[in-house]
Amino acid sequence: ANLGYGTQSNNIAGLFQTNSNISDAGGVGPDKWYPATSFGISLNVPIFNGLQRNYQLQQSKLSLLKIENGFNSLKNGIDLEVSQGKITYENALKSLDVQKRNTTLAENVARVTKIKYQQGVGTNLEVVDAESALRTAQINYYSAMYDAIVSRVDLIRAYGKINTLTTPQN
């Protein structure tokens, strides 16, 4: 809606004062201000929107696919980490068993070598070599034990039962 006033003056001076020689004809005439009113209605109906809705729908579908792909990728990553953790843990346990048998064998060899030396059949060098092999076997056993513990912790973390983001409180 618009409201306003209009005049019919011959010149600019007539906007501010009556200066024409034309007589007033019952409230109508020059140099007078007349009210003006107009009303309007506007209707906006899109006939063609440039396929904007179609593109927005396609973009939403692509966003959904992106989220689904991210979820599947995360799931596959977790499954891979769990299966790798299982394999690593099983291998570590097998290695631990082998190193335990190695240590037992090295202990028996060292024991027999000492007995041979005490009986005068073996040399001091054989005893030193057997003791050195025993120490190496023990070190390998402890290393395999450490690897088994670490791989077990990694497997538990892969199952999500350990939170690696927390720090111990003092």
Side-chain angles (χ1 to χ4, degrees), residues 46 48-59:
F48 180 71
N49 63 2
L51 302 175
Q52 180 181 9
R53 181 169 170 82
N54 185 27
Y55 290 127
Q56 287 175 341
L57 184 61
Q58 286 178 358
Q59 192 173 22

Side-chain angles (χ1 to χ4, degrees), residues 103-117:
T103 302
T104 304
L105 179 63
E107 286 172 351
N108 287 338
V109 168
R111 185 181 51 80
V112 169
T113 306
K114 283 181 187 177
I115 292 172
K116 281 174 52 177
Y117 177 70

